[in-house]
Amino acid sequence: AQTVTQSQPEMSVQEAETVTLSCTYDTSESDYYLFWYKQPPSRQMILVIRQEAYKQQNATENRFSVNFQKAAKSFSLKISDSQLGDAAMYFCAYRSVFTGANSKLTFGKGITLSVRP
Amino acid sequence: DAGVTQSPTHLIKTRGQQVTLRCSPKSGHDTVSWYQQALGQGPQFIFQYYEEEERQRGNFPDRFSGHQFPNYSSELNVNALLLGDSALYLCASSRGQGYDGYTFGSGTRLTVV
């Protein structure tokens, strides 16, 4: 079974600065998908960024980028130019590439990010 | 374009009662998954419905059951409620296998007293 670990329960960043959120995972599969989701106080999970394990290039979405280290099974999220609206809980999630019975998302426990004005 | 809609937003039930939560998927999505999120924790997978059948199930007891209707909407039923069932229940929809990711609703906050 796959596991996702987010060992930092809380992090804080100054507005306009850069912050990196860590995530490690464990799997015996060679191909899979990794996601970062943001959950603001509104409770809705919002997809931030998605990485396909077979792709060497790290995914980027505007101010959000990942550092994907497949051998180390590490998947960190970097937020540049942090904004007050980035304050939320962030979850790292894993999904197998296999169809049907393995299409669930496995989440970590999450990191609470606060942004100081 | 409407996203995922869940109802009700909040619910208080007494231990031993039964509850039904509802989810309407995003337009164009045909697969619905349900997750339970305890306070301060990550979501835990309950089950997934596709073509009106349960395709996959997580480690949840039979007290948790579901249904998917022909219009792809879904219900989550929990019988014989326990205090430990208090949580945020999230519905996520996707197109097919969800390789592009899932669209989540804002959840139903269930409190069992």
mmCIF file with all atom_site columns, all heavy atoms in Angstrom, chain A residues 5-12 19-23 36-37 39 77 88-92 108-114, chain B residues 40:
data_model
loop_
_atom_site.group_PDB
_atom_site.id
_atom_site.type_symbol
_atom_site.label_atom_id
_atom_site.label_alt_id
_atom_site.label_comp_id
_atom_site.label_asym_id
_atom_site.label_entity_id
_atom_site.label_seq_id
_atom_site.pdbx_PDB_ins_code
_atom_site.Cartn_x
_atom_site.Cartn_y
_atom_site.Cartn_z
_atom_site.occupancy
_atom_site.B_iso_or_equiv
_atom_site.pdbx_formal_charge
_atom_site.auth_seq_id
_atom_site.auth_comp_id
_atom_site.auth_asym_id
_atom_site.auth_atom_id
_atom_site.pdbx_PDB_model_num
ATOM 1   N N   . THR A 1 5   ? 3.625   11.058 3.490  1.00 0.00 ? 5   THR A N   1
ATOM 2   C CA  . THR A 1 5   ? 4.015   11.637 4.771  1.00 0.00 ? 5   THR A CA  1
ATOM 3   C C   . THR A 1 5   ? 4.317   13.120 4.617  1.00 0.00 ? 5   THR A C   1
ATOM 4   O O   . THR A 1 5   ? 5.127   13.516 3.777  1.00 0.00 ? 5   THR A O   1
ATOM 5   C CB  . THR A 1 5   ? 5.260   10.927 5.333  1.00 0.00 ? 5   THR A CB  1
ATOM 6   O OG1 . THR A 1 5   ? 4.979   9.533  5.486  1.00 0.00 ? 5   THR A OG1 1
ATOM 7   C CG2 . THR A 1 5   ? 5.636   11.504 6.693  1.00 0.00 ? 5   THR A CG2 1
ATOM 8   N N   . GLN A 1 6   ? 3.659   13.903 5.432  1.00 0.00 ? 6   GLN A N   1
ATOM 9   C CA  . GLN A 1 6   ? 3.951   15.337 5.527  1.00 0.00 ? 6   GLN A CA  1
ATOM 10  C C   . GLN A 1 6   ? 4.332   15.576 6.981  1.00 0.00 ? 6   GLN A C   1
ATOM 11  O O   . GLN A 1 6   ? 3.464   15.583 7.854  1.00 0.00 ? 6   GLN A O   1
ATOM 12  C CB  . GLN A 1 6   ? 2.744   16.168 5.122  1.00 0.00 ? 6   GLN A CB  1
ATOM 13  C CG  . GLN A 1 6   ? 2.363   15.988 3.654  1.00 0.00 ? 6   GLN A CG  1
ATOM 14  C CD  . GLN A 1 6   ? 1.140   16.794 3.279  1.00 0.00 ? 6   GLN A CD  1
ATOM 15  O OE1 . GLN A 1 6   ? 0.040   16.253 3.155  1.00 0.00 ? 6   GLN A OE1 1
ATOM 16  N NE2 . GLN A 1 6   ? 1.326   18.082 3.084  1.00 0.00 ? 6   GLN A NE2 1
ATOM 17  N N   . SER A 1 7   ? 5.590   15.738 7.244  1.00 0.00 ? 7   SER A N   1
ATOM 18  C CA  . SER A 1 7   ? 6.092   15.744 8.616  1.00 0.00 ? 7   SER A CA  1
ATOM 19  C C   . SER A 1 7   ? 6.031   17.113 9.285  1.00 0.00 ? 7   SER A C   1
ATOM 20  O O   . SER A 1 7   ? 6.178   17.222 10.503 1.00 0.00 ? 7   SER A O   1
ATOM 21  C CB  . SER A 1 7   ? 7.526   15.225 8.655  1.00 0.00 ? 7   SER A CB  1
ATOM 22  O OG  . SER A 1 7   ? 8.336   16.004 7.792  1.00 0.00 ? 7   SER A OG  1
ATOM 23  N N   . GLN A 1 8   ? 5.829   18.161 8.513  1.00 0.00 ? 8   GLN A N   1
ATOM 24  C CA  . GLN A 1 8   ? 5.752   19.516 9.087  1.00 0.00 ? 8   GLN A CA  1
ATOM 25  C C   . GLN A 1 8   ? 4.285   19.867 9.273  1.00 0.00 ? 8   GLN A C   1
ATOM 26  O O   . GLN A 1 8   ? 3.580   20.068 8.293  1.00 0.00 ? 8   GLN A O   1
ATOM 27  C CB  . GLN A 1 8   ? 6.393   20.547 8.161  1.00 0.00 ? 8   GLN A CB  1
ATOM 28  C CG  . GLN A 1 8   ? 7.788   20.224 7.701  1.00 0.00 ? 8   GLN A CG  1
ATOM 29  C CD  . GLN A 1 8   ? 8.106   20.919 6.371  1.00 0.00 ? 8   GLN A CD  1
ATOM 30  O OE1 . GLN A 1 8   ? 7.414   20.742 5.393  1.00 0.00 ? 8   GLN A OE1 1
ATOM 31  N NE2 . GLN A 1 8   ? 9.172   21.700 6.355  1.00 0.00 ? 8   GLN A NE2 1
ATOM 32  N N   . PRO A 1 9   ? 3.778   19.944 10.493 1.00 0.00 ? 9   PRO A N   1
ATOM 33  C CA  . PRO A 1 9   ? 2.357   20.255 10.665 1.00 0.00 ? 9   PRO A CA  1
ATOM 34  C C   . PRO A 1 9   ? 2.005   21.709 10.366 1.00 0.00 ? 9   PRO A C   1
ATOM 35  O O   . PRO A 1 9   ? 0.904   21.992 9.916  1.00 0.00 ? 9   PRO A O   1
ATOM 36  C CB  . PRO A 1 9   ? 2.095   19.931 12.134 1.00 0.00 ? 9   PRO A CB  1
ATOM 37  C CG  . PRO A 1 9   ? 3.429   20.055 12.790 1.00 0.00 ? 9   PRO A CG  1
ATOM 38  C CD  . PRO A 1 9   ? 4.443   19.646 11.760 1.00 0.00 ? 9   PRO A CD  1
ATOM 39  N N   . GLU A 1 10  ? 2.976   22.615 10.588 1.00 0.00 ? 10  GLU A N   1
ATOM 40  C CA  . GLU A 1 10  ? 2.706   24.031 10.374 1.00 0.00 ? 10  GLU A CA  1
ATOM 41  C C   . GLU A 1 10  ? 3.932   24.726 9.799  1.00 0.00 ? 10  GLU A C   1
ATOM 42  O O   . GLU A 1 10  ? 5.067   24.368 10.120 1.00 0.00 ? 10  GLU A O   1
ATOM 43  C CB  . GLU A 1 10  ? 2.340   24.717 11.695 1.00 0.00 ? 10  GLU A CB  1
ATOM 44  C CG  . GLU A 1 10  ? 1.080   24.216 12.348 1.00 0.00 ? 10  GLU A CG  1
ATOM 45  C CD  . GLU A 1 10  ? 0.783   24.941 13.657 1.00 0.00 ? 10  GLU A CD  1
ATOM 46  O OE1 . GLU A 1 10  ? 1.574   25.839 14.025 1.00 0.00 ? 10  GLU A OE1 1
ATOM 47  O OE2 . GLU A 1 10  ? -0.212  24.604 14.307 1.00 0.00 ? 10  GLU A OE2 1
ATOM 48  N N   . MET A 1 11  ? 3.669   25.722 8.961  1.00 0.00 ? 11  MET A N   1
ATOM 49  C CA  . MET A 1 11  ? 4.746   26.571 8.466  1.00 0.00 ? 11  MET A CA  1
ATOM 50  C C   . MET A 1 11  ? 4.214   27.992 8.334  1.00 0.00 ? 11  MET A C   1
ATOM 51  O O   . MET A 1 11  ? 3.008   28.216 8.176  1.00 0.00 ? 11  MET A O   1
ATOM 52  C CB  . MET A 1 11  ? 5.254   26.076 7.117  1.00 0.00 ? 11  MET A CB  1
ATOM 53  C CG  . MET A 1 11  ? 6.056   24.797 7.198  1.00 0.00 ? 11  MET A CG  1
ATOM 54  S SD  . MET A 1 11  ? 7.123   24.566 5.780  1.00 0.00 ? 11  MET A SD  1
ATOM 55  C CE  . MET A 1 11  ? 8.360   25.801 6.057  1.00 0.00 ? 11  MET A CE  1
ATOM 56  N N   . SER A 1 12  ? 5.163   28.942 8.405  1.00 0.00 ? 12  SER A N   1
ATOM 57  C CA  . SER A 1 12  ? 4.801   30.345 8.300  1.00 0.00 ? 12  SER A CA  1
ATOM 58  C C   . SER A 1 12  ? 5.754   31.033 7.334  1.00 0.00 ? 12  SER A C   1
ATOM 59  O O   . SER A 1 12  ? 6.930   30.681 7.266  1.00 0.00 ? 12  SER A O   1
ATOM 60  C CB  . SER A 1 12  ? 4.865   31.006 9.681  1.00 0.00 ? 12  SER A CB  1
ATOM 61  O OG  . SER A 1 12  ? 4.507   32.371 9.597  1.00 0.00 ? 12  SER A OG  1
ATOM 62  N N   . VAL A 1 19  ? 8.378   29.966 0.127  1.00 0.00 ? 19  VAL A N   1
ATOM 63  C CA  . VAL A 1 19  ? 8.285   28.894 1.130  1.00 0.00 ? 19  VAL A CA  1
ATOM 64  C C   . VAL A 1 19  ? 8.225   27.558 0.413  1.00 0.00 ? 19  VAL A C   1
ATOM 65  O O   . VAL A 1 19  ? 7.696   27.452 -0.702 1.00 0.00 ? 19  VAL A O   1
ATOM 66  C CB  . VAL A 1 19  ? 7.035   29.095 2.021  1.00 0.00 ? 19  VAL A CB  1
ATOM 67  C CG1 . VAL A 1 19  ? 5.750   28.978 1.226  1.00 0.00 ? 19  VAL A CG1 1
ATOM 68  C CG2 . VAL A 1 19  ? 7.036   28.111 3.190  1.00 0.00 ? 19  VAL A CG2 1
ATOM 69  N N   . THR A 1 20  ? 8.790   26.539 1.052  1.00 0.00 ? 20  THR A N   1
ATOM 70  C CA  . THR A 1 20  ? 8.781   25.185 0.489  1.00 0.00 ? 20  THR A CA  1
ATOM 71  C C   . THR A 1 20  ? 8.116   24.229 1.465  1.00 0.00 ? 20  THR A C   1
ATOM 72  O O   . THR A 1 20  ? 8.497   24.165 2.639  1.00 0.00 ? 20  THR A O   1
ATOM 73  C CB  . THR A 1 20  ? 10.211  24.705 0.187  1.00 0.00 ? 20  THR A CB  1
ATOM 74  O OG1 . THR A 1 20  ? 10.794  25.572 -0.798 1.00 0.00 ? 20  THR A OG1 1
ATOM 75  C CG2 . THR A 1 20  ? 10.194  23.280 -0.366 1.00 0.00 ? 20  THR A CG2 1
ATOM 76  N N   . LEU A 1 21  ? 7.133   23.509 0.975  1.00 0.00 ? 21  LEU A N   1
ATOM 77  C CA  . LEU A 1 21  ? 6.405   22.515 1.776  1.00 0.00 ? 21  LEU A CA  1
ATOM 78  C C   . LEU A 1 21  ? 6.881   21.124 1.360  1.00 0.00 ? 21  LEU A C   1
ATOM 79  O O   . LEU A 1 21  ? 6.938   20.819 0.175  1.00 0.00 ? 21  LEU A O   1
ATOM 80  C CB  . LEU A 1 21  ? 4.895   22.647 1.544  1.00 0.00 ? 21  LEU A CB  1
ATOM 81  C CG  . LEU A 1 21  ? 4.302   24.053 1.670  1.00 0.00 ? 21  LEU A CG  1
ATOM 82  C CD1 . LEU A 1 21  ? 2.797   24.009 1.480  1.00 0.00 ? 21  LEU A CD1 1
ATOM 83  C CD2 . LEU A 1 21  ? 4.666   24.684 3.003  1.00 0.00 ? 21  LEU A CD2 1
ATOM 84  N N   . SER A 1 22  ? 7.191   20.296 2.346  1.00 0.00 ? 22  SER A N   1
ATOM 85  C CA  . SER A 1 22  ? 7.792   18.989 2.072  1.00 0.00 ? 22  SER A CA  1
ATOM 86  C C   . SER A 1 22  ? 6.768   17.861 2.047  1.00 0.00 ? 22  SER A C   1
ATOM 87  O O   . SER A 1 22  ? 5.748   17.909 2.747  1.00 0.00 ? 22  SER A O   1
ATOM 88  C CB  . SER A 1 22  ? 8.854   18.676 3.123  1.00 0.00 ? 22  SER A CB  1
ATOM 89  O OG  . SER A 1 22  ? 9.854   19.674 3.126  1.00 0.00 ? 22  SER A OG  1
ATOM 90  N N   . CYS A 1 23  ? 7.072   16.854 1.268  1.00 0.00 ? 23  CYS A N   1
ATOM 91  C CA  . CYS A 1 23  ? 6.225   15.658 1.192  1.00 0.00 ? 23  CYS A CA  1
ATOM 92  C C   . CYS A 1 23  ? 7.097   14.488 0.760  1.00 0.00 ? 23  CYS A C   1
ATOM 93  O O   . CYS A 1 23  ? 7.906   14.616 -0.166 1.00 0.00 ? 23  CYS A O   1
ATOM 94  C CB  . CYS A 1 23  ? 5.091   15.868 0.192  1.00 0.00 ? 23  CYS A CB  1
ATOM 95  S SG  . CYS A 1 23  ? 4.122   14.382 -0.171 1.00 0.00 ? 23  CYS A SG  1
ATOM 96  N N   . TRP A 1 36  ? -0.601  18.270 -5.381 1.00 0.00 ? 36  TRP A N   1
ATOM 97  C CA  . TRP A 1 36  ? -0.732  19.148 -4.217 1.00 0.00 ? 36  TRP A CA  1
ATOM 98  C C   . TRP A 1 36  ? -2.109  19.797 -4.288 1.00 0.00 ? 36  TRP A C   1
ATOM 99  O O   . TRP A 1 36  ? -2.486  20.359 -5.325 1.00 0.00 ? 36  TRP A O   1
ATOM 100 C CB  . TRP A 1 36  ? 0.345   20.232 -4.207 1.00 0.00 ? 36  TRP A CB  1
ATOM 101 C CG  . TRP A 1 36  ? 1.644   19.780 -3.631 1.00 0.00 ? 36  TRP A CG  1
ATOM 102 C CD1 . TRP A 1 36  ? 2.750   19.360 -4.312 1.00 0.00 ? 36  TRP A CD1 1
ATOM 103 C CD2 . TRP A 1 36  ? 1.983   19.704 -2.243 1.00 0.00 ? 36  TRP A CD2 1
ATOM 104 N NE1 . TRP A 1 36  ? 3.748   19.018 -3.436 1.00 0.00 ? 36  TRP A NE1 1
ATOM 105 C CE2 . TRP A 1 36  ? 3.307   19.231 -2.158 1.00 0.00 ? 36  TRP A CE2 1
ATOM 106 C CE3 . TRP A 1 36  ? 1.298   20.008 -1.054 1.00 0.00 ? 36  TRP A CE3 1
ATOM 107 C CZ2 . TRP A 1 36  ? 3.956   19.042 -0.938 1.00 0.00 ? 36  TRP A CZ2 1
ATOM 108 C CZ3 . TRP A 1 36  ? 1.948   19.818 0.144  1.00 0.00 ? 36  TRP A CZ3 1
ATOM 109 C CH2 . TRP A 1 36  ? 3.269   19.333 0.194  1.00 0.00 ? 36  TRP A CH2 1
ATOM 110 N N   . TYR A 1 37  ? -2.836  19.686 -3.171 1.00 0.00 ? 37  TYR A N   1
ATOM 111 C CA  . TYR A 1 37  ? -4.138  20.314 -3.048 1.00 0.00 ? 37  TYR A CA  1
ATOM 112 C C   . TYR A 1 37  ? -4.081  21.357 -1.947 1.00 0.00 ? 37  TYR A C   1
ATOM 113 O O   . TYR A 1 37  ? -3.400  21.202 -0.938 1.00 0.00 ? 37  TYR A O   1
ATOM 114 C CB  . TYR A 1 37  ? -5.226  19.286 -2.697 1.00 0.00 ? 37  TYR A CB  1
ATOM 115 C CG  . TYR A 1 37  ? -5.754  18.504 -3.872 1.00 0.00 ? 37  TYR A CG  1
ATOM 116 C CD1 . TYR A 1 37  ? -5.156  17.304 -4.243 1.00 0.00 ? 37  TYR A CD1 1
ATOM 117 C CD2 . TYR A 1 37  ? -6.852  18.955 -4.594 1.00 0.00 ? 37  TYR A CD2 1
ATOM 118 C CE1 . TYR A 1 37  ? -5.649  16.576 -5.318 1.00 0.00 ? 37  TYR A CE1 1
ATOM 119 C CE2 . TYR A 1 37  ? -7.348  18.231 -5.672 1.00 0.00 ? 37  TYR A CE2 1
ATOM 120 C CZ  . TYR A 1 37  ? -6.740  17.040 -6.029 1.00 0.00 ? 37  TYR A CZ  1
ATOM 121 O OH  . TYR A 1 37  ? -7.229  16.326 -7.094 1.00 0.00 ? 37  TYR A OH  1
ATOM 122 N N   . GLN A 1 39  ? -6.492  23.559 0.747  1.00 0.00 ? 39  GLN A N   1
ATOM 123 C CA  . GLN A 1 39  ? -7.808  23.584 1.388  1.00 0.00 ? 39  GLN A CA  1
ATOM 124 C C   . GLN A 1 39  ? -7.919  24.823 2.263  1.00 0.00 ? 39  GLN A C   1
ATOM 125 O O   . GLN A 1 39  ? -7.447  24.852 3.390  1.00 0.00 ? 39  GLN A O   1
ATOM 126 C CB  . GLN A 1 39  ? -8.055  22.316 2.221  1.00 0.00 ? 39  GLN A CB  1
ATOM 127 C CG  . GLN A 1 39  ? -9.481  22.226 2.757  1.00 0.00 ? 39  GLN A CG  1
ATOM 128 C CD  . GLN A 1 39  ? -9.729  20.943 3.533  1.00 0.00 ? 39  GLN A CD  1
ATOM 129 O OE1 . GLN A 1 39  ? -8.894  20.494 4.316  1.00 0.00 ? 39  GLN A OE1 1
ATOM 130 N NE2 . GLN A 1 39  ? -10.893 20.329 3.321  1.00 0.00 ? 39  GLN A NE2 1
ATOM 131 N N   . LEU A 1 77  ? 6.671   21.271 -2.593 1.00 0.00 ? 77  LEU A N   1
ATOM 132 C CA  . LEU A 1 77  ? 5.969   22.368 -3.277 1.00 0.00 ? 77  LEU A CA  1
ATOM 133 C C   . LEU A 1 77  ? 6.620   23.681 -2.892 1.00 0.00 ? 77  LEU A C   1
ATOM 134 O O   . LEU A 1 77  ? 6.754   23.980 -1.702 1.00 0.00 ? 77  LEU A O   1
ATOM 135 C CB  . LEU A 1 77  ? 4.492   22.397 -2.880 1.00 0.00 ? 77  LEU A CB  1
ATOM 136 C CG  . LEU A 1 77  ? 3.663   23.575 -3.407 1.00 0.00 ? 77  LEU A CG  1
ATOM 137 C CD1 . LEU A 1 77  ? 3.480   23.462 -4.917 1.00 0.00 ? 77  LEU A CD1 1
ATOM 138 C CD2 . LEU A 1 77  ? 2.308   23.642 -2.710 1.00 0.00 ? 77  LEU A CD2 1
ATOM 139 N N   . ALA A 1 88  ? -3.591  28.552 3.979  1.00 0.00 ? 88  ALA A N   1
ATOM 140 C CA  . ALA A 1 88  ? -4.523  27.424 3.868  1.00 0.00 ? 88  ALA A CA  1
ATOM 141 C C   . ALA A 1 88  ? -3.821  26.176 4.386  1.00 0.00 ? 88  ALA A C   1
ATOM 142 O O   . ALA A 1 88  ? -2.655  26.217 4.775  1.00 0.00 ? 88  ALA A O   1
ATOM 143 C CB  . ALA A 1 88  ? -4.948  27.204 2.414  1.00 0.00 ? 88  ALA A CB  1
ATOM 144 N N   . MET A 1 89  ? -4.546  25.075 4.336  1.00 0.00 ? 89  MET A N   1
ATOM 145 C CA  . MET A 1 89  ? -3.930  23.780 4.586  1.00 0.00 ? 89  MET A CA  1
ATOM 146 C C   . MET A 1 89  ? -3.572  23.179 3.229  1.00 0.00 ? 89  MET A C   1
ATOM 147 O O   . MET A 1 89  ? -4.365  23.258 2.282  1.00 0.00 ? 89  MET A O   1
ATOM 148 C CB  . MET A 1 89  ? -4.911  22.874 5.326  1.00 0.00 ? 89  MET A CB  1
ATOM 149 C CG  . MET A 1 89  ? -4.259  21.744 6.082  1.00 0.00 ? 89  MET A CG  1
ATOM 150 S SD  . MET A 1 89  ? -5.256  21.185 7.461  1.00 0.00 ? 89  MET A SD  1
ATOM 151 C CE  . MET A 1 89  ? -4.201  19.920 8.128  1.00 0.00 ? 89  MET A CE  1
ATOM 152 N N   . TYR A 1 90  ? -2.371  22.607 3.135  1.00 0.00 ? 90  TYR A N   1
ATOM 153 C CA  . TYR A 1 90  ? -1.906  22.023 1.885  1.00 0.00 ? 90  TYR A CA  1
ATOM 154 C C   . TYR A 1 90  ? -1.707  20.519 2.062  1.00 0.00 ? 90  TYR A C   1
ATOM 155 O O   . TYR A 1 90  ? -1.060  20.076 3.009  1.00 0.00 ? 90  TYR A O   1
ATOM 156 C CB  . TYR A 1 90  ? -0.605  22.675 1.427  1.00 0.00 ? 90  TYR A CB  1
ATOM 157 C CG  . TYR A 1 90  ? -0.817  24.069 0.889  1.00 0.00 ? 90  TYR A CG  1
ATOM 158 C CD1 . TYR A 1 90  ? -0.943  25.153 1.753  1.00 0.00 ? 90  TYR A CD1 1
ATOM 159 C CD2 . TYR A 1 90  ? -0.911  24.291 -0.482 1.00 0.00 ? 90  TYR A CD2 1
ATOM 160 C CE1 . TYR A 1 90  ? -1.161  26.440 1.260  1.00 0.00 ? 90  TYR A CE1 1
ATOM 161 C CE2 . TYR A 1 90  ? -1.122  25.576 -0.981 1.00 0.00 ? 90  TYR A CE2 1
ATOM 162 C CZ  . TYR A 1 90  ? -1.246  26.633 -0.102 1.00 0.00 ? 90  TYR A CZ  1
ATOM 163 O OH  . TYR A 1 90  ? -1.464  27.895 -0.599 1.00 0.00 ? 90  TYR A OH  1
ATOM 164 N N   . PHE A 1 91  ? -2.250  19.770 1.116  1.00 0.00 ? 91  PHE A N   1
ATOM 165 C CA  . PHE A 1 91  ? -2.166  18.319 1.169  1.00 0.00 ? 91  PHE A CA  1
ATOM 166 C C   . PHE A 1 91  ? -1.420  17.783 -0.049 1.00 0.00 ? 91  PHE A C   1
ATOM 167 O O   . PHE A 1 91  ? -1.680  18.199 -1.180 1.00 0.00 ? 91  PHE A O   1
ATOM 168 C CB  . PHE A 1 91  ? -3.562  17.690 1.188  1.00 0.00 ? 91  PHE A CB  1
ATOM 169 C CG  . PHE A 1 91  ? -4.325  17.940 2.451  1.00 0.00 ? 91  PHE A CG  1
ATOM 170 C CD1 . PHE A 1 91  ? -5.197  19.006 2.549  1.00 0.00 ? 91  PHE A CD1 1
ATOM 171 C CD2 . PHE A 1 91  ? -4.176  17.098 3.547  1.00 0.00 ? 91  PHE A CD2 1
ATOM 172 C CE1 . PHE A 1 91  ? -5.902  19.249 3.713  1.00 0.00 ? 91  PHE A CE1 1
ATOM 173 C CE2 . PHE A 1 91  ? -4.885  17.326 4.717  1.00 0.00 ? 91  PHE A CE2 1
ATOM 174 C CZ  . PHE A 1 91  ? -5.743  18.406 4.797  1.00 0.00 ? 91  PHE A CZ  1
ATOM 175 N N   . CYS A 1 92  ? -0.548  16.857 0.213  1.00 0.00 ? 92  CYS A N   1
ATOM 176 C CA  . CYS A 1 92  ? 0.133   16.112 -0.832 1.00 0.00 ? 92  CYS A CA  1
ATOM 177 C C   . CYS A 1 92  ? -0.661  14.818 -1.048 1.00 0.00 ? 92  CYS A C   1
ATOM 178 O O   . CYS A 1 92  ? -1.161  14.228 -0.070 1.00 0.00 ? 92  CYS A O   1
ATOM 179 C CB  . CYS A 1 92  ? 1.560   15.806 -0.354 1.00 0.00 ? 92  CYS A CB  1
ATOM 180 S SG  . CYS A 1 92  ? 2.566   14.831 -1.447 1.00 0.00 ? 92  CYS A SG  1
ATOM 181 N N   . GLY A 1 108 ? -1.632  12.853 2.469  1.00 0.00 ? 108 GLY A N   1
ATOM 182 C CA  . GLY A 1 108 ? -0.880  13.042 3.689  1.00 0.00 ? 108 GLY A CA  1
ATOM 183 C C   . GLY A 1 108 ? -1.753  13.750 4.720  1.00 0.00 ? 108 GLY A C   1
ATOM 184 O O   . GLY A 1 108 ? -2.917  14.072 4.441  1.00 0.00 ? 108 GLY A O   1
ATOM 185 N N   . LYS A 1 109 ? -1.176  14.042 5.880  1.00 0.00 ? 109 LYS A N   1
ATOM 186 C CA  . LYS A 1 109 ? -1.946  14.674 6.951  1.00 0.00 ? 109 LYS A CA  1
ATOM 187 C C   . LYS A 1 109 ? -2.101  16.178 6.772  1.00 0.00 ? 109 LYS A C   1
ATOM 188 O O   . LYS A 1 109 ? -2.896  16.806 7.458  1.00 0.00 ? 109 LYS A O   1
ATOM 189 C CB  . LYS A 1 109 ? -1.294  14.392 8.307  1.00 0.00 ? 109 LYS A CB  1
ATOM 190 C CG  . LYS A 1 109 ? -1.440  12.959 8.762  1.00 0.00 ? 109 LYS A CG  1
ATOM 191 C CD  . LYS A 1 109 ? -0.938  12.781 10.186 1.00 0.00 ? 109 LYS A CD  1
ATOM 192 C CE  . LYS A 1 109 ? -1.199  11.370 10.692 1.00 0.00 ? 109 LYS A CE  1
ATOM 193 N NZ  . LYS A 1 109 ? -0.750  11.195 12.098 1.00 0.00 ? 109 LYS A NZ  1
ATOM 194 N N   . GLY A 1 110 ? -1.317  16.751 5.874  1.00 0.00 ? 110 GLY A N   1
ATOM 195 C CA  . GLY A 1 110 ? -1.464  18.159 5.577  1.00 0.00 ? 110 GLY A CA  1
ATOM 196 C C   . GLY A 1 110 ? -0.520  19.064 6.342  1.00 0.00 ? 110 GLY A C   1
ATOM 197 O O   . GLY A 1 110 ? 0.031   18.687 7.384  1.00 0.00 ? 110 GLY A O   1
ATOM 198 N N   . ILE A 1 111 ? -0.315  20.237 5.785  1.00 0.00 ? 111 ILE A N   1
ATOM 199 C CA  . ILE A 1 111 ? 0.511   21.288 6.404  1.00 0.00 ? 111 ILE A CA  1
ATOM 200 C C   . ILE A 1 111 ? -0.324  22.559 6.440  1.00 0.00 ? 111 ILE A C   1
ATOM 201 O O   . ILE A 1 111 ? -0.906  22.948 5.420  1.00 0.00 ? 111 ILE A O   1
ATOM 202 C CB  . ILE A 1 111 ? 1.783   21.563 5.572  1.00 0.00 ? 111 ILE A CB  1
ATOM 203 C CG1 . ILE A 1 111 ? 2.646   20.325 5.477  1.00 0.00 ? 111 ILE A CG1 1
ATOM 204 C CG2 . ILE A 1 111 ? 2.572   22.709 6.168  1.00 0.00 ? 111 ILE A CG2 1
ATOM 205 C CD1 . ILE A 1 111 ? 3.825   20.491 4.524  1.00 0.00 ? 111 ILE A CD1 1
ATOM 206 N N   . THR A 1 112 ? -0.373  23.192 7.621  1.00 0.00 ? 112 THR A N   1
ATOM 207 C CA  . THR A 1 112 ? -1.068  24.472 7.722  1.00 0.00 ? 112 THR A CA  1
ATOM 208 C C   . THR A 1 112 ? -0.079  25.596 7.437  1.00 0.00 ? 112 THR A C   1
ATOM 209 O O   . THR A 1 112 ? 0.914   25.749 8.156  1.00 0.00 ? 112 THR A O   1
ATOM 210 C CB  . THR A 1 112 ? -1.666  24.657 9.125  1.00 0.00 ? 112 THR A CB  1
ATOM 211 O OG1 . THR A 1 112 ? -2.599  23.606 9.377  1.00 0.00 ? 112 THR A OG1 1
ATOM 212 C CG2 . THR A 1 112 ? -2.389  25.995 9.216  1.00 0.00 ? 112 THR A CG2 1
ATOM 213 N N   . LEU A 1 113 ? -0.336  26.344 6.382  1.00 0.00 ? 113 LEU A N   1
ATOM 214 C CA  . LEU A 1 113 ? 0.538   27.455 6.007  1.00 0.00 ? 113 LEU A CA  1
ATOM 215 C C   . LEU A 1 113 ? -0.109  28.778 6.400  1.00 0.00 ? 113 LEU A C   1
ATOM 216 O O   . LEU A 1 113 ? -1.245  29.051 6.037  1.00 0.00 ? 113 LEU A O   1
ATOM 217 C CB  . LEU A 1 113 ? 0.792   27.452 4.501  1.00 0.00 ? 113 LEU A CB  1
ATOM 218 C CG  . LEU A 1 113 ? 1.626   28.621 3.975  1.00 0.00 ? 113 LEU A CG  1
ATOM 219 C CD1 . LEU A 1 113 ? 3.057   28.544 4.501  1.00 0.00 ? 113 LEU A CD1 1
ATOM 220 C CD2 . LEU A 1 113 ? 1.612   28.660 2.447  1.00 0.00 ? 113 LEU A CD2 1
ATOM 221 N N   . SER A 1 114 ? 0.621   29.572 7.160  1.00 0.00 ? 114 SER A N   1
ATOM 222 C CA  . SER A 1 114 ? 0.158   30.924 7.481  1.00 0.00 ? 114 SER A CA  1
ATOM 223 C C   . SER A 1 114 ? 1.066   31.921 6.776  1.00 0.00 ? 114 SER A C   1
ATOM 224 O O   . SER A 1 114 ? 2.266   31.684 6.606  1.00 0.00 ? 114 SER A O   1
ATOM 225 C CB  . SER A 1 114 ? 0.151   31.159 8.995  1.00 0.00 ? 114 SER A CB  1
ATOM 226 O OG  . SER A 1 114 ? 1.453   30.964 9.519  1.00 0.00 ? 114 SER A OG  1
ATOM 227 N N   . GLY B 2 40  ? -8.206  18.068 11.450 1.00 0.00 ? 40  GLY B N   1
ATOM 228 C CA  . GLY B 2 40  ? -6.751  18.124 11.469 1.00 0.00 ? 40  GLY B CA  1
ATOM 229 C C   . GLY B 2 40  ? -6.054  16.995 10.740 1.00 0.00 ? 40  GLY B C   1
ATOM 230 O O   . GLY B 2 40  ? -4.832  16.837 10.855 1.00 0.00 ? 40  GLY B O   1
#
